[in-house]
Amino acid sequence: MESREIVVIGGGLAGLAATDALKDRDVVLLEADERVGGRVFTQRRQPYWLSVGAHILGGPDSPMGKLAQEFGLTLAPIPGDTMAMFTGDRLVRGGKPELAPFRLALPPRARLSLVRTGLRLRRAALRAAAATPDMTHGNREFAGEYPTVEGDEALDRKSFADIVGHAHPAVAALYRTAANRLSAEPGELSGHFGANAIGSLWVSKRRYVMTVEGGLGEIARCLAERVGARVTTGARVRHVVARDDGVEVTFERRGETHNLRARHAVFAATAIAAREVIADLPADKAEALGHVRYGPYVVMAATTREPGPMAHDDLYAVALGGRTLAMIFNTVNPLRVPGGVRQPGGTLMMYAGADRAAALLSASDDEIRRLFLDDVHAVFPALRGLVDETWIRRIPHGYPFWAPGRLGRQDALARPFGNIFFAGDWIEYPSTDAAVRSGQLAARSIRRRMGLAA
Ligand SMILES: Cc1cc2nc3c(=O)[nH]c(=O)nc-3n(C[C@H](O)[C@H](O)[C@H](O)COP(=O)(O)OP(=O)(O)OC[C@H]3O[C@@H](n4cnc5c(N)ncnc54)[C@H](O)[C@@H]3O)c2cc1C
């Protein structure tokens, strides 16, 4: 049996960050796919890039922002509108979200409903923000051995739909889009999580909106380069047993079964995998892992071949009400800076989330492309006939949104089990920053247990 000091399971950002922080030790990372990066997946299309995964990070001081700077990547603020909305047949851009009731194409009763529900959401958002001061910035430093999260327990026991309350159908469609962006339906989402993630928009608390030129996959690529041969791809872990003096891992690679023993492990794959492969989990941990819900996305990235400037150049994100797509992103808006050279062409990213995505998981690429392009043409008629290459990715386990009752399960979820430490976006408020931070924290905790310097 192969023997190692540390084994890391899962090569998304969390596993890569953990391996990077342990690279001076005898460490191996086992990744099931043939590529690392997990839910971050970007490809270069000079002078642009395509993305079918995460695309925004938390700012220069966030874990992702710090890594980007360390690797000499260009952090790019997103100058464009991130709050545009498309309802009926109208694109509304710019302005404060609180003023949306007066600007969207809505019947009078729907306007009133948006004001009422908006006030309820605003109250909840203020309460949630007061209980979770750091959520939106992702730069909190953890002192303990594993991540804690703060929040409003009463809000967390309710669903986002409970908090919004009864809404006019046209307004309910908008809230549905907001929940779908997080891969959930409004009734599935924790009230605390929804109020924080969605309601914060309502109180004009603009998040730090920033990306990396070339896409966030550049950070995964740089991490993978730095950890080099410590990564084994195509290695699917099937069984993990915690022993008094370490862990035993069984994995499959190229049709063969391998056994590996290590002193410590970082489990950085999904919560679903944790529950499936780790033997004899304590009952509260198994229950908490089962409570983590992953909503689906169907994502499409596209290149466009416009010869010059377009009306959407100064726009980053559009939320669509009542359509197949929840969101369209003008991925390369960071390059459209005033006074800069506007190269021909461009790229877009778009996705359907939650039930609408679930219904498309088994659809053909042609069908997905047709439905998505119908929405693109409705929002940006000038792009008709200009979409070139498309890249479709179905992600059944897209995002571990918080379901009601998530807050009370934090300790059970994040707590180590024997010498197995846990990392991944599901351990916190899910994001790339959370993934990196949890990986780094797991590495730090292992170093402490081994009596090494952080
Ligand atoms: C469409 C989309 C848009 C998003 N947008 C943003 C955004 O703009 N900003 C943001 O911050 N976040 C965003 N996110 C969320 C972000 O992508 C994730 O929070 C983050 O990438 C999670 O990283 P991770 O390492 O925790 O998990 P993952 O990236 O899922 O990595 C887990 C890895 O474990 C591997 N694995 C699973 N099972 C096994 C096994 N049994 N054995 C070995 N390996 C295994 C998987 O193959 C995978 O590579 C988005 C997500 C999606 C899908």
Side-chain angles (χ1 to χ4, degrees):
M1 185 183 298
E2 187 184 343
S3 184
R4 296 290 191 142
E5 202 167 30
I6 304 148
V7 58
V8 177
I9 298 161
L13 285 168
L16 286 169
T19 309
D20 184 48
L22 292 162
K23 61 182 176 303
D24 58 323
R25 310 302 306 177
D26 173 30
V27 57
V28 61
L29 183 156
L30 302 175
E31 163 56 47
D33 273 358
E34 293 300 335
R35 58 170 274 279
V36 290
R39 278 171 283 149
V40 173
F41 201 177
T42 54
Q43 288 183 4
R44 285 282 189 171
R45 292 291 182 276
Q46 295 295 357
Y48 304 122
W49 61 93
L50 293 174
S51 172
V52 287
H55 50 111
I56 298 173
L57 53 77
D61 295 330
S62 73
M64 286 283 282
K66 284 182 184 161
L67 278 179
Q69 292 172 78
E70 213 179 295
F71 289 126
L73 300 170
T74 307
L75 275 178
I78 291 170
D81 188 352
T82 54
M83 294 288 302
M85 287 189 230
F86 185 82
T87 53
D89 56 1
R90 206 158 97 198
L91 179 64
V92 176
R93 42 199 298 183
K96 291 186 166 191
E98 305 86 297
L99 299 179
F102 312 104
R103 301 167 61 244
L104 294 175
L106 293 171
R109 286 171 65 178
R111 274 182 217 286
L112 194 63
S113 169
L114 188 52
V115 171
R116 277 209 193 107
T117 54
L119 285 173
R120 283 200 286 270
L121 185 51
R122 184 186 155 81
R123 271 198 302 276
L126 290 171
R127 244 175 81 183
T132 324
D134 295 323
M135 174 198 168
T136 49
H137 296 287
N139 53 5
R140 173 177 35 184
E141 291 294 334
F142 288 106
E145 205 179 32
Y146 56 94
T148 53
V149 292
E150 297 106 47
D152 186 307
E153 299 235 359
L155 282 178
D156 185 60
R157 278 193 290 273
K158 295 182 181 168
S159 74
F160 178 65
D162 293 335
I163 281 168
V164 170
H166 178 72
H168 184 281
V171 174
L174 290 175
Y175 290 123
R176 183 176 180 199
T177 296
N180 286 181
R181 185 175 185 173
L182 301 168
S183 81
E185 294 297 333
E188 297 173 323
L189 202 58
S190 135
H192 170 75
F193 188 75
N196 235 335
I198 301 168
S200 60
L201 305 174
W202 223 252
V203 286
S204 275
K205 209 168 87 179
R206 194 180 147 93
R207 284 166 179 242
Y208 216 119
V209 182
M210 189 164 257
T211 191
V212 167
E213 272 189 34
L216 297 193
E218 290 295 296
I219 296 181
R221 180 183 62 76
C222 290
L223 278 170
E225 270 175 26
R226 196 152 76 180
V227 301
R230 297 169 188 87
V231 174
T232 304
T233 52
R236 181 166 293 280
V237 171
R238 293 288 182 200
H239 202 54
V240 178
V241 182
R243 303 269 181 227
D244 288 344
D245 58 346
V247 290
E248 280 174 25
V249 175
T250 305
F251 65 96
E252 277 166 21
R253 186 158 192 263
R254 313 226 159 107
E256 284 181 19
T257 301
H258 301 258
N259 293 303
L260 185 150
R261 179 185 276 276
R263 238 332 257 296
H264 292 94
V266 178
F267 193 94
T270 56
I272 302 170
R275 194 157 183 253
E276 277 173 7
V277 305
I278 304 175
D280 303 321
L281 283 168
D284 66 333
K285 193 165 193 81
E287 190 280 334
L289 288 167
H291 184 265
V292 178
R293 294 274 310 277
Y294 283 79
Y297 291 115
V298 174
V299 191
M300 185 168 95
T303 60
T304 57
R305 55 161 186 271
E306 64 271 22
M310 300 292 277
H312 64 263
D313 281 353
D314 62 350
L315 187 155
Y316 185 72
V318 186
L320 288 77
R323 317 275 311 198
T324 309
L325 285 175
M327 299 299 304
I328 303 178
F329 299 95
N330 175 18
T331 333
V332 292
N333 165 260
L335 300 182
R336 314 296 192 211
V337 286
V341 179
R342 204 297 186 189
Q343 310 260 16
T347 65
L348 300 173
M349 169 195 173
M350 62 203 80
Y351 57 74
D355 288 356
R356 286 192 175 109
L360 288 175
L361 286 173
S362 55
S364 68
D365 279 9
D366 284 350
E367 175 73 350
I368 292 167
R369 184 184 149 100
R370 187 184 62 73
L371 287 167
F372 283 14
L373 288 187
D374 277 354
D375 284 358
V376 169
H377 295 150
V379 180
F380 303 129
L383 278 177
R384 192 174 283 279
L386 295 181
V387 172
D388 250 336
E389 177 191 355
T390 52
W391 174 24
I392 292 169
R393 192 170 176 223
R394 297 162 186 79
I395 314 180
H397 302 132
Y399 187 76
F401 64 82
W402 280 30
R406 162 66 176 76
L407 206 47
R409 291 172 166 87
Q410 177 64 19
D411 191 72
L413 274 181
R415 195 178 66 224
F417 171 45
N419 284 3
I420 307 172
F421 288 79
F422 294 86
D425 60 345
W426 50 275
I427 295 213
E428 288 187 43
Y429 290 94
S431 72
T432 52
D433 284 317
V436 167
R437 181 174 42 222
S438 65
Q440 292 172 341
L441 181 60
R444 190 179 75 188
S445 300
I446 288 177
R447 299 184 81 92
R448 272 192 196 155
R449 281 209 189 168
M450 294 171 77
L452 301 167

